[in-house]
Amino acid sequence: MEKSGESTAAAAAAAVKLKPIEATAETFGEFGQVIEASADGEEFGPQDAQLDLSRGIPRHPASRFYIMHLNNRPLKFSSITYHASVTQCLGSIGGNVWYLGVSKPSIVDSSEINADEGLNVVKSHCGHFYVPPAVNDVCVFRVSGPKFLKLNRGTWHAGPLFNAASMDFYNLELSNTNVADHTLHDFKKKDGVVFLIDE
């Protein structure tokens, strides 16, 4: 059951509308890569996903490639997450349109933390340090056609989101990503806002 305080906070949350940006190699470059079809036999190069799957913990180092079935993911979000130890690849099966909210990575090296800098540094339950994402740094990308997104290690993301009742996505990450490497920021609770995608 929802607590009364949580209900009040939800009712008071301000709506922030975001216009989606079409995901291209240029527009998405700060957050990762947009990977499109290449000719059969073409050699590996910078146009291919530059993956980092090397940071699995002992006994769980394997990558996981699976089809993720999602229901009822309307075009709004109030929380955002990132994975500190792995790049992640997401793409819709069938090339249907979907959306992803993102913010740039904000992991902080423990050796660089300086109390005088005034940064709001937080320790993740996963053990590392980060600066929470700012409301003004969040943007939304629209992904259409036969392509997928590779998220850089540490890129904040919310989604996939879509208009259909359900969609299937292929997902590449580590076998333990959602258990051992999942840091969340709740904008509704911490900042009093929810994001709406303004198509």
Side-chain angles (χ1 to χ4, degrees), residues 22 36 92 94-98 142-148 170:
E22 190 68 27
E36 302 193 56
S92 71
N96 297 314
V97 173
W98 58 285
R142 179 182 185 270
V143 187
S144 59
K147 63 184 71 168
F148 68 88
Y170 49 88

Side-chain angles (χ1 to χ4, degrees), residues 133-149:
V135 171
N136 291 338
D137 287 340
V138 177
C139 56
V140 169
F141 285 90
R142 179 182 185 270
V143 187
S144 59
K147 63 184 71 168
F148 68 88
L149 299 183

Side-chain angles (χ1 to χ4, degrees), residues 80-158:
I80 198 166
T81 189
Y82 73 83
H83 310 303
S85 299
V86 67
T87 53
Q88 183 179 17
C89 294
L90 290 167
S92 71
I93 294 181
N96 297 314
V97 173
W98 58 285
Y99 300 84
L100 191 74
V102 296
S103 187
K104 60 187 177 182
S106 58
I107 298 172
V108 178
D109 190 299
S110 58
S111 65
E112 299 175 354
I113 295 175
N114 185 330
D116 297 329
E117 290 181 355
L119 294 176
N120 179 25
V121 177
V122 177
K123 186 173 184 179
S124 168
H125 68 93
C126 300
H128 59 271
F129 295 89
Y130 69 95
V131 175
V135 171
N136 291 338
D137 287 340
V138 177
C139 56
V140 169
F141 285 90
R142 179 182 185 270
V143 187
S144 59
K147 63 184 71 168
F148 68 88
L149 299 183
K150 186 220 79 176
L151 302 177
N152 288 339
R153 191 173 63 86
T155 293
W156 292 94
H157 56 284

